[in-house]
Every structure is written in structure tokens, then in C-alpha cells.
Coordinates of all heavy atoms in Angstrom, one line a residue:
M950 N 88.1 116.9 109.6 CA 89.4 116.2 109.4 C 89.8 116.3 107.9 O 89.0 116.3 107.0 CB 89.1 114.7 109.7 CG 90.3 113.8 109.6 SD 90.0 112.1 110.0 CE 90.1 112.2 111.8
L951 N 91.1 116.6 107.7 CA 91.6 116.8 106.4 C 91.6 115.5 105.6 O 91.8 114.4 106.1 CB 93.1 117.3 106.5 CG 93.3 118.7 107.0 CD1 94.7 119.0 107.2 CD2 92.7 119.7 106.1
I952 N 91.4 115.6 104.3 CA 91.4 114.4 103.4 C 92.7 113.7 103.5 O 92.8 112.5 103.4 CB 91.0 114.8 102.0 CG1 90.7 113.5 101.2 CG2 92.1 115.6 101.3 CD1 90.0 113.7 99.9
S953 N 93.8 114.4 103.7 CA 95.1 113.8 103.7 C 95.2 112.8 104.9 O 95.8 111.8 104.9 CB 96.3 114.8 103.7 OG 96.2 115.6 104.8
T954 N 94.6 113.2 106.0 CA 94.6 112.4 107.2 C 93.8 111.2 107.0 O 94.2 110.1 107.4 CB 94.1 113.2 108.5 OG1 94.9 114.4 108.6 CG2 94.1 112.4 109.7
L955 N 92.6 111.4 106.4 CA 91.8 110.2 106.0 C 92.5 109.2 105.1 O 92.4 108.0 105.3 CB 90.5 110.7 105.4 CG 89.5 111.5 106.2 CD1 88.4 112.1 105.4 CD2 89.0 110.6 107.4
I956 N 93.2 109.8 104.1 CA 94.0 108.9 103.2 C 95.0 108.1 103.9 O 95.2 106.9 103.7 CB 94.5 109.8 102.0 CG1 93.4 110.2 101.1 CG2 95.5 108.9 101.2 CD1 93.8 111.3 100.1
R957 N 95.8 108.8 104.8 CA 96.9 108.2 105.5 C 96.3 107.0 106.4 O 96.8 105.9 106.5 CB 97.6 109.1 106.4 CG 98.8 109.7 105.7 CD 99.8 110.4 106.6 NE 99.2 111.6 107.2 CZ 99.2 112.8 106.6 NH1 99.7 113.1 105.6 NH2 98.7 113.8 107.2
D958 N 95.1 107.3 107.1 CA 94.5 106.3 107.9 C 94.1 105.1 107.1 O 94.2 104.0 107.5 CB 93.4 106.9 108.7 CG 93.8 107.9 109.8 OD1 95.0 108.0 110.1 OD2 92.9 108.6 110.3
L959 N 93.5 105.4 106.0 CA 93.0 104.3 105.1 C 94.2 103.5 104.6 O 94.1 102.3 104.5 CB 92.2 104.9 104.0 CG 91.5 103.9 103.0 CD1 90.6 102.9 103.8 CD2 90.7 104.6 102.0
A960 N 95.2 104.2 104.2 CA 96.4 103.5 103.7 C 97.0 102.6 104.8 O 97.5 101.5 104.4 CB 97.5 104.5 103.3
K961 N 97.0 103.0 106.0 CA 97.5 102.1 107.1 C 96.6 100.9 107.2 O 97.1 99.8 107.4 CB 97.5 102.9 108.4 CG 98.6 103.9 108.5 CD 98.5 104.6 109.9 CE 99.5 105.8 109.9 NZ 99.4 106.5 111.2
E962 N 95.3 101.1 107.1 CA 94.4 99.9 107.2 C 94.6 99.0 106.0 O 94.5 97.8 106.2 CB 92.9 100.4 107.2 CG 92.6 101.1 108.5 CD 91.1 101.6 108.5 OE1 90.3 101.0 107.8 OE2 90.9 102.7 109.1
L963 N 94.9 99.5 104.8 CA 95.0 98.7 103.6 C 96.4 98.2 103.4 O 96.7 97.5 102.5 CB 94.6 99.5 102.4 CG 93.1 99.8 102.3 CD1 92.8 100.7 101.1 CD2 92.2 98.6 102.3
S964 N 97.4 98.6 104.3 CA 98.8 98.3 104.0 C 99.1 96.8 103.8 O 99.9 96.5 103.0 CB 99.7 98.9 105.1 OG 99.3 98.3 106.4
P965 N 98.4 95.9 104.5 CA 98.7 94.5 104.2 C 98.3 94.1 102.8 O 98.9 93.2 102.2 CB 97.9 93.7 105.2 CG 97.6 94.7 106.3 CD 97.5 96.0 105.7
L966 N 97.3 94.8 102.2 CA 96.9 94.5 100.9 C 97.7 95.2 99.8 O 97.8 94.6 98.7 CB 95.4 94.9 100.7 CG 94.4 94.2 101.7 CD1 93.0 94.9 101.5 CD2 94.4 92.7 101.5
I967 N 98.2 96.4 100.1 CA 98.9 97.1 99.0 C 100.4 97.3 99.2 O 101.0 98.0 98.5 CB 98.2 98.5 98.8 CG1 98.2 99.3 100.1 CG2 96.8 98.3 98.3 CD1 97.7 100.7 100.0
G968 N 100.9 96.7 100.3 CA 102.4 96.7 100.4 C 102.9 98.0 100.9 O 104.0 98.4 100.5
S969 N 102.3 98.8 101.8 CA 102.8 100.1 102.2 C 104.0 100.0 103.1 O 104.6 101.0 103.4 CB 101.7 100.9 102.9 OG 101.4 100.4 104.1
D970 N 104.4 98.7 103.4 CA 105.6 98.6 104.2 C 106.9 98.7 103.4 O 108.0 98.7 103.9 CB 105.6 97.2 105.0 CG 105.5 96.1 104.0 OD1 104.8 96.2 103.0 OD2 106.1 95.0 104.3
R971 N 106.8 98.8 102.1 CA 107.9 99.0 101.2 C 108.4 100.4 101.3 O 107.6 101.3 101.6 CB 107.5 98.7 99.7 CG 107.1 97.2 99.6 CD 106.7 97.0 98.1 NE 106.2 95.6 98.0 CZ 105.8 95.1 96.9 NH1 105.7 95.9 95.8 NH2 105.3 93.9 96.8
P972 N 109.6 100.7 100.9 CA 110.1 102.1 100.9 C 109.4 103.0 100.0 O 108.8 102.5 99.0 CB 111.6 101.9 100.5 CG 111.8 100.6 100.0 CD 110.6 99.8 100.4
S973 N 109.4 104.3 100.3 CA 108.7 105.2 99.4 C 109.4 105.4 98.1 O 110.5 104.9 97.9 CB 108.6 106.6 100.1 OG 109.9 107.1 100.4
A974 N 108.7 106.0 97.2 CA 109.2 106.1 95.8 C 110.6 106.9 95.8 O 110.8 107.8 96.5 CB 108.2 106.9 94.9
S975 N 111.5 106.3 95.0 CA 112.8 107.0 94.8 C 113.3 106.5 93.4 O 112.8 105.5 92.9 CB 113.7 106.6 95.9 OG 114.0 105.2 95.9
P976 N 114.2 107.3 92.8 CA 114.7 106.9 91.5 C 115.2 105.5 91.5 O 115.9 105.0 92.4 CB 115.8 107.9 91.2 CG 115.5 109.1 92.1 CD 114.8 108.5 93.3
G977 N 114.8 104.7 90.5 CA 115.3 103.3 90.3 C 114.5 102.3 91.1 O 114.7 101.1 91.0
R978 N 113.5 102.8 91.9 CA 112.7 101.9 92.7 C 111.4 101.5 91.9 O 110.8 102.3 91.2 CB 112.2 102.5 94.0 CG 111.4 101.5 94.8 CD 110.9 102.2 96.1 NE 109.7 103.0 95.8 CZ 108.4 102.4 95.7 NH1 108.3 101.1 95.8 NH2 107.4 103.2 95.5
V979 N 111.1 100.2 91.9 CA 109.9 99.8 91.3 C 108.7 100.2 92.1 O 108.7 100.1 93.4 CB 109.9 98.2 91.1 CG1 108.5 97.8 90.5 CG2 111.0 97.8 90.2
G980 N 107.7 100.8 91.5 CA 106.5 101.3 92.3 C 105.7 100.2 92.8 O 105.8 99.0 92.5
I981 N 104.7 100.6 93.7 CA 103.7 99.7 94.2 C 102.5 99.9 93.4 O 101.9 101.0 93.5 CB 103.5 100.0 95.7 CG1 104.8 99.8 96.5 CG2 102.4 99.1 96.3 CD1 104.7 100.4 97.9
F982 N 102.1 99.0 92.6 CA 101.0 99.1 91.7 C 99.8 98.4 92.2 O 99.8 97.3 92.7 CB 101.4 98.6 90.3 CG 102.6 99.4 89.7 CD1 103.9 98.8 89.7 CD2 102.4 100.6 89.2 CE1 104.9 99.5 89.2 CE2 103.5 101.3 88.7 CZ 104.7 100.8 88.7
I983 N 98.7 99.2 92.1 CA 97.4 98.6 92.6 C 96.4 98.7 91.5 O 96.5 99.5 90.6 CB 97.0 99.5 93.8 CG1 96.8 101.0 93.5 CG2 97.9 99.2 95.0 CD1 96.3 101.8 94.7
S984 N 95.3 97.9 91.7 CA 94.2 97.9 90.7 C 93.4 99.2 90.8 O 93.5 99.9 91.8 CB 93.3 96.7 91.0 OG 92.6 96.9 92.2
I985 N 92.6 99.5 89.8 CA 91.7 100.6 89.8 C 90.7 100.5 90.9 O 90.5 101.5 91.6 CB 91.0 100.7 88.4 CG1 92.0 101.2 87.3 CG2 89.8 101.7 88.5 CD1 91.5 101.3 85.9
K986 N 90.2 99.4 91.2 CA 89.3 99.2 92.3 C 89.9 99.5 93.6 O 89.4 100.3 94.4 CB 88.8 97.8 92.3 CG 87.8 97.5 93.4 CD 87.3 96.1 93.4 CE 86.4 95.8 94.6 NZ 86.0 94.4 94.8
T987 N 91.1 99.0 93.9 CA 91.8 99.3 95.1 C 92.2 100.8 95.2 O 92.1 101.4 96.2 CB 93.1 98.5 95.2 OG1 92.7 97.1 95.2 CG2 93.9 98.8 96.5
A988 N 92.6 101.4 94.1 CA 92.9 102.8 94.0 C 91.7 103.7 94.4 O 91.8 104.6 95.2 CB 93.4 103.2 92.6
A989 N 90.5 103.3 93.8 CA 89.3 104.0 94.1 C 89.0 103.9 95.6 O 88.6 104.9 96.2 CB 88.2 103.5 93.2
E990 N 89.1 102.7 96.2 CA 88.8 102.6 97.6 C 89.8 103.3 98.5 O 89.4 103.9 99.5 CB 88.8 101.1 97.9 CG 87.7 100.3 97.3 CD 87.8 98.8 97.5 OE1 88.9 98.3 98.0 OE2 86.9 98.1 97.1
L991 N 91.0 103.4 98.1 CA 92.1 104.1 98.8 C 91.8 105.5 99.0 O 92.0 106.1 100.0 CB 93.4 103.8 98.2 CG 94.6 104.5 98.8 CD1 94.8 103.9 100.2 CD2 95.9 104.3 98.0
V992 N 91.3 106.2 97.9 CA 91.1 107.6 97.9 C 89.6 108.0 98.1 O 89.3 109.2 98.0 CB 91.7 108.3 96.7 CG1 93.2 108.1 96.8 CG2 91.2 107.8 95.4
G993 N 88.7 107.0 98.2 CA 87.3 107.4 98.4 C 86.6 107.9 97.1 O 85.7 108.8 97.2
M994 N 87.1 107.5 96.0 CA 86.5 107.9 94.7 C 85.9 106.7 94.0 O 86.2 105.5 94.4 CB 87.6 108.5 93.8 CG 88.3 109.7 94.4 SD 87.2 111.1 94.4 CE 88.3 112.4 95.0
S995 N 85.3 106.9 92.9 CA 84.7 105.8 92.1 C 85.8 105.3 91.1 O 86.7 106.0 90.8 CB 83.5 106.2 91.3 OG 83.9 107.1 90.2
P996 N 85.7 104.0 90.7 CA 86.7 103.5 89.7 C 86.6 104.3 88.5 O 87.6 104.5 87.8 CB 86.2 102.1 89.5 CG 85.5 101.7 90.8 CD 84.9 102.9 91.3
Q997 N 85.4 104.9 88.1 CA 85.3 105.7 86.9 C 86.2 107.0 87.0 O 86.7 107.4 86.0 CB 83.9 106.0 86.6 CG 83.7 106.7 85.3 CD 84.2 105.9 84.1 OE1 84.1 104.7 84.0 NE2 84.9 106.6 83.2
T998 N 86.2 107.5 88.2 CA 87.1 108.7 88.4 C 88.5 108.4 88.2 O 89.3 109.1 87.5 CB 86.9 109.3 89.8 OG1 85.5 109.7 90.0 CG2 87.8 110.5 90.1
I999 N 89.0 107.2 88.7 CA 90.4 106.8 88.5 C 90.6 106.6 87.0 O 91.7 107.1 86.4 CB 90.7 105.5 89.2 CG1 90.4 105.7 90.7 CG2 92.1 105.1 89.0 CD1 91.1 106.7 91.4
R1000 N 89.7 106.0 86.3 CA 89.8 105.8 84.8 C 89.9 107.1 84.1 O 90.7 107.3 83.1 CB 88.7 104.9 84.3 CG 88.8 103.5 84.6 CD 87.7 102.7 83.9 NE 87.6 101.4 84.5 CZ 86.9 101.0 85.5 NH1 86.0 101.8 86.0 NH2 86.9 99.7 85.9
S1001 N 89.1 108.1 84.5 CA 89.1 109.4 83.9 C 90.4 110.1 84.1 O 90.9 110.8 83.2 CB 88.0 110.3 84.6 OG 88.0 111.6 84.1
W1002 N 91.0 110.0 85.3 CA 92.3 110.6 85.6 C 93.4 109.9 84.7 O 94.3 110.6 84.2 CB 92.7 110.4 87.0 CG 91.9 111.3 88.0 CD1 91.1 112.4 87.7 CD2 91.8 111.1 89.4 NE1 90.6 112.9 88.8 CE2 91.0 112.2 89.9 CE3 92.4 110.3 90.3 CZ2 90.7 112.3 91.2 CZ3 92.1 110.4 91.7 CH2 91.3 111.4 92.1
I1003 N 93.3 108.7 84.4 CA 94.2 108.0 83.5 C 94.0 108.5 82.1 O 95.0 108.9 81.4 CB 94.0 106.5 83.5 CG1 94.4 105.9 84.9 CG2 94.8 105.8 82.4 CD1 94.0 104.4 85.1
K1004 N 92.8 108.6 81.7 CA 92.4 109.1 80.3 C 92.9 110.5 80.1 O 93.4 110.9 79.0 CB 90.9 109.0 80.1 CG 90.5 109.4 78.7 CD 89.0 109.2 78.5 CE 88.6 109.5 77.1 NZ 87.2 109.3 76.9
T1005 N 92.8 111.4 81.1 CA 93.2 112.8 80.9 C 94.7 113.0 81.2 O 95.2 114.1 81.0 CB 92.4 113.7 81.9 OG1 92.7 113.3 83.2 CG2 90.9 113.7 81.6
G1006 N 95.4 112.0 81.6 CA 96.8 112.1 81.9 C 97.2 112.6 83.3 O 98.4 112.8 83.6
D1007 N 96.2 112.8 84.1 CA 96.5 113.2 85.5 C 97.2 112.1 86.3 O 97.8 112.3 87.3 CB 95.2 113.6 86.2 CG 94.6 114.9 85.6 OD1 95.4 115.8 85.2 OD2 93.4 115.0 85.5
L1008 N 96.9 110.8 85.9 CA 97.4 109.7 86.6 C 97.9 108.7 85.5 O 97.2 108.4 84.6 CB 96.3 109.0 87.5 CG 96.7 107.8 88.3 CD1 97.7 108.2 89.4 CD2 95.4 107.3 88.9
E1009 N 99.1 108.1 85.7 CA 99.6 107.1 84.8 C 99.0 105.8 85.1 O 98.9 105.4 86.2 CB 101.1 107.0 84.9 CG 101.8 108.2 84.3 CD 103.3 108.1 84.5 OE1 103.9 107.2 83.8 OE2 103.9 108.8 85.3
G1010 N 98.5 105.1 84.1 CA 98.0 103.8 84.2 C 98.6 102.9 83.1 O 99.1 103.3 82.1
F1011 N 98.6 101.6 83.4 CA 99.2 100.7 82.4 C 98.5 99.3 82.5 O 97.9 99.0 83.6 CB 100.7 100.5 82.6 CG 101.1 99.8 83.8 CD1 101.4 98.4 83.7 CD2 101.3 100.4 85.0 CE1 101.8 97.7 84.8 CE2 101.7 99.7 86.1 CZ 101.9 98.3 86.0
R1012 N 98.7 98.5 81.5 CA 98.2 97.2 81.4 C 99.3 96.3 80.9 O 100.0 96.7 80.0 CB 97.0 97.0 80.5 CG 95.7 97.7 81.0 CD 94.7 97.6 79.9 NE 94.2 96.3 79.8 CZ 93.2 95.9 79.1 NH1 92.5 96.8 78.4 NH2 92.8 94.7 79.1
V1013 N 99.4 95.1 81.3 CA 100.3 94.1 80.8 C 99.4 93.1 80.0 O 98.6 92.5 80.6 CB 101.1 93.4 81.9 CG1 102.0 92.3 81.3 CG2 101.9 94.4 82.7
K1014 N 99.7 93.1 78.7 CA 98.9 92.3 77.8 C 97.4 92.6 78.0 O 97.1 93.8 77.9 CB 99.2 90.8 78.0 CG 100.6 90.4 77.6 CD 100.8 88.9 77.5 CE 102.2 88.6 77.2 NZ 102.5 87.3 76.9
N1015 N 96.6 91.7 78.2 CA 95.1 92.0 78.4 C 94.7 92.0 79.9 O 93.6 91.8 80.2 CB 94.3 91.0 77.6 CG 94.4 91.2 76.1 OD1 94.5 92.3 75.7 ND2 94.4 90.1 75.4
G1016 N 95.7 92.2 80.8 CA 95.4 92.2 82.2 C 94.7 93.4 82.6 O 94.4 94.4 81.9
P1017 N 94.4 93.5 83.9 CA 93.7 94.7 84.5 C 94.6 95.9 84.5 O 95.8 95.8 84.6 CB 93.3 94.3 85.9 CG 94.3 93.2 86.2 CD 94.6 92.5 85.0
W1018 N 94.0 97.1 84.5 CA 94.8 98.3 84.6 C 95.4 98.4 86.0 O 94.8 98.0 87.0 CB 93.8 99.5 84.4 CG 93.6 99.8 83.0 CD1 92.5 99.3 82.2 CD2 94.3 100.6 82.1 NE1 92.6 99.8 81.0 CE2 93.7 100.6 80.8 CE3 95.5 101.3 82.2 CZ2 94.2 101.2 79.7 CZ3 96.0 102.0 81.2 CH2 95.3 102.0 79.9
R1019 N 96.5 99.0 86.1 CA 97.2 99.3 87.4 C 97.7 100.7 87.4 O 98.0 101.3 86.4 CB 98.5 98.4 87.5 CG 98.2 96.9 87.4 CD 97.6 96.5 88.7 NE 97.2 95.0 88.7 CZ 96.6 94.4 89.6 NH1 96.1 95.1 90.6 NH2 96.3 93.1 89.5
V1020 N 97.8 101.3 88.6 CA 98.3 102.6 88.8 C 99.3 102.6 90.0 O 99.3 101.7 90.8 CB 97.2 103.6 89.1 CG1 96.2 103.7 88.0 CG2 96.5 103.3 90.4
D1021 N 100.2 103.5 90.0 CA 101.2 103.6 91.1 C 100.6 104.2 92.3 O 100.0 105.3 92.2 CB 102.4 104.5 90.6 CG 103.5 104.5 91.6 OD1 103.3 105.1 92.7 OD2 104.6 104.0 91.3
R1022 N 100.6 103.5 93.4 CA 99.9 104.0 94.6 C 100.5 105.3 95.1 O 99.7 106.2 95.4 CB 100.2 102.9 95.7 CG 99.4 103.3 97.0 CD 99.9 102.6 98.2 NE 101.3 103.1 98.4 CZ 102.1 102.7 99.3 NH1 101.8 101.6 100.0 NH2 103.3 103.2 99.4
D1023 N 101.8 105.5 95.1 CA 102.4 106.8 95.5 C 101.9 108.0 94.6 O 101.7 109.1 95.1 CB 103.9 106.7 95.6 CG 104.3 105.7 96.7 OD1 103.6 105.5 97.6 OD2 105.4 105.2 96.5
Q1024 N 101.9 107.8 93.3 CA 101.5 108.8 92.4 C 100.0 109.2 92.7 O 99.6 110.3 92.7 CB 101.6 108.4 91.0 CG 101.3 109.5 90.0 CD 101.3 109.1 88.6 OE1 101.3 107.9 88.2 NE2 101.3 110.0 87.7
L1025 N 99.2 108.2 93.0 CA 97.8 108.4 93.3 C 97.6 109.2 94.5 O 96.9 110.2 94.6 CB 97.0 107.1 93.4 CG 95.6 107.1 93.9 CD1 94.7 107.7 92.9 CD2 95.1 105.8 94.4
I1026 N 98.3 108.9 95.6 CA 98.2 109.6 96.9 C 98.8 111.0 96.7 O 98.2 112.0 97.2 CB 99.0 108.8 98.0 CG1 98.2 107.6 98.3 CG2 99.2 109.7 99.2 CD1 98.9 106.6 99.2
D1027 N 99.8 111.2 95.9 CA 100.3 112.6 95.6 C 99.3 113.4 94.9 O 99.1 114.6 95.1 CB 101.6 112.5 94.8 CG 102.8 112.1 95.6 OD1 102.7 112.0 96.8 OD2 103.8 111.7 94.9
L1028 N 98.5 112.8 94.0 CA 97.5 113.5 93.2 C 96.4 114.0 94.1 O 95.9 115.1 93.8 CB 96.9 112.5 92.1 CG 95.8 113.1 91.2 CD1 96.4 114.2 90.4 CD2 95.3 112.0 90.3
V1029 N 96.0 113.3 95.1 CA 94.8 113.7 95.9 C 95.2 114.5 97.2 O 94.4 114.8 98.0 CB 94.0 112.5 96.3 CG1 93.4 111.8 95.1 CG2 94.7 111.5 97.2
Q1030 N 96.5 114.8 97.3 CA 96.9 115.6 98.5 C 96.3 117.0 98.3 O 96.3 117.6 97.3 CB 98.4 115.8 98.6 CG 99.1 114.5 99.0 CD 98.7 114.0 100.3 OE1 98.6 114.8 101.3 NE2 98.5 112.7 100.4
P1031 N 95.8 117.6 99.4 CA 95.2 118.9 99.4 C 96.2 120.0 99.1 O 97.4 119.8 99.5 CB 94.6 119.1 100.7 CG 95.2 118.2 101.6 CD 95.7 117.0 100.8
V1032 N 95.8 121.0 98.4 CA 96.7 122.2 98.1 C 96.3 123.3 99.0 O 95.2 123.6 99.2 CB 96.5 122.6 96.6 CG1 97.3 123.8 96.3 CG2 96.8 121.5 95.7
R1033 N 97.4 123.9 99.7 CA 97.1 125.0 100.6 C 96.7 126.2 99.8 O 97.3 126.5 98.8 CB 98.4 125.3 101.4 CG 98.7 124.3 102.4 CD 99.9 124.8 103.2 NE 100.1 123.9 104.3 CZ 101.2 124.0 105.1 NH1 102.1 124.9 104.9 NH2 101.3 123.2 106.1
K1034 N 95.7 126.9 100.3 CA 95.3 128.1 99.7 C 96.2 129.2 100.2 O 96.6 129.3 101.4 CB 93.9 128.5 100.1 CG 92.8 127.5 99.6 CD 91.4 128.0 100.0 CE 90.4 127.0 99.4 NZ 89.1 127.4 99.8
S1035 N 96.6 130.1 99.3 CA 97.5 131.2 99.7 C 96.7 132.4 100.2 O 95.6 132.6 99.7 CB 98.4 131.6 98.5 OG 97.7 132.0 97.4
T1036 N 97.2 133.1 101.0 CA 96.6 134.3 101.6 C 96.8 135.5 100.6 O 97.7 135.4 99.7 CB 97.1 134.7 102.9 OG1 98.5 134.9 102.8 CG2 96.8 133.6 103.9
P1037 N 96.1 136.6 100.7 CA 96.3 137.7 99.8 C 97.7 138.2 99.7 O 98.2 138.7 98.7 CB 95.3 138.8 100.3 CG 94.3 138.0 101.0 CD 94.9 136.8 101.6
G1038 N 98.5 138.0 100.8 CA 99.9 138.5 100.9 C 100.8 137.5 100.2 O 102.0 137.8 100.1
G1039 N 100.3 136.4 99.7 CA 101.1 135.4 99.1 C 101.7 134.3 99.9 O 102.2 133.3 99.5
A1040 N 101.5 134.4 101.3 CA 101.9 133.3 102.2 C 101.0 132.1 102.1 O 99.8 132.3 101.9 CB 102.1 133.9 103.6
A1041 N 101.5 131.0 102.3 CA 100.7 129.8 102.3 C 100.0 129.6 103.7 O 100.3 130.1 104.7 CB 101.5 128.5 102.1

């Protein structure tokens, strides 16, 4: 089973907690922000991996005052989508 299918299934299960019933990302739309713990559970990684992605700039994270770190759910899901391997002829 592809990781993207697993992520979609997990996102459906977590939708009441993370608000996936909201429209997808578009210009001018406020993102759906989730905690590092929820982000890690959503993609099956450790919270330390999520923090590492924030530190290296692969994932944007932010804090308001001294509150917990938050990440944009849609950006996280885009980050973990599998990349198709190209064939020697260049086709995907």
C-alpha cells in the first residue's frame, strides 16, 4: 500500500481532530495548523523528525508567544507525498 493512501486514510480518521472538512489551501486562506505531536501521528513519524524538518526549512513552523509549535497540515502532507521514479526514457 502506498504511503499516500495510508496518509489519506489516517487523515480521514483524524479529520474531526484536525479540521479536514475545511477547504484545501488556496491564496488568502488561513491554513489548518496542527501541533508537532499531531503532525507526527498524521504522517507516522516521530515528533523529533517534524522538529528536524522545521529546523532544516523543509517544513514551516511557528509559535505564538511561548505557545507550542504549529505546522500547516496541508504543507506537511505535501512534504510526505511520494515522488514518482522516472524511467530511463524520462517518462514518469
Side-chain angles (χ1 to χ4, degrees):
M950 184 177 274
L951 291 173
I952 192 166
S953 61
T954 303
L955 293 171
I956 291 170
R957 268 194 294 275
D958 291 346
L959 184 57
K961 286 178 187 176
E962 291 177 32
L963 294 175
S964 64
L966 301 174
I967 59 176
S969 67
D970 57 323
R971 296 181 186 176
S973 61
S975 62
R978 185 186 79 80
V979 175
I981 300 166
F982 298 101
I983 57 176
S984 69
I985 288 178
K986 179 181 177 184
T987 301
E990 291 170 355
L991 180 63
V992 297
M994 303 285 184
S995 72
Q997 186 56 42
T998 298
I999 304 300
R1000 287 185 191 94
S1001 175
W1002 288 345
I1003 293 168
K1004 185 176 180 179
T1005 60
D1007 293 322
L1008 181 64
E1009 291 179 66
F1011 72 94
R1012 292 174 70 174
V1013 176
K1014 296 192 180 186
N1015 289 327
W1018 281 92
R1019 300 286 179 189
V1020 298
D1021 184 294
R1022 186 200 65 187
D1023 293 335
Q1024 184 187 15
L1025 172 70
I1026 291 172
D1027 288 345
L1028 179 64
V1029 297
Q1030 290 298 317
V1032 177
R1033 288 184 173 172
K1034 294 182 180 179
S1035 61
T1036 59

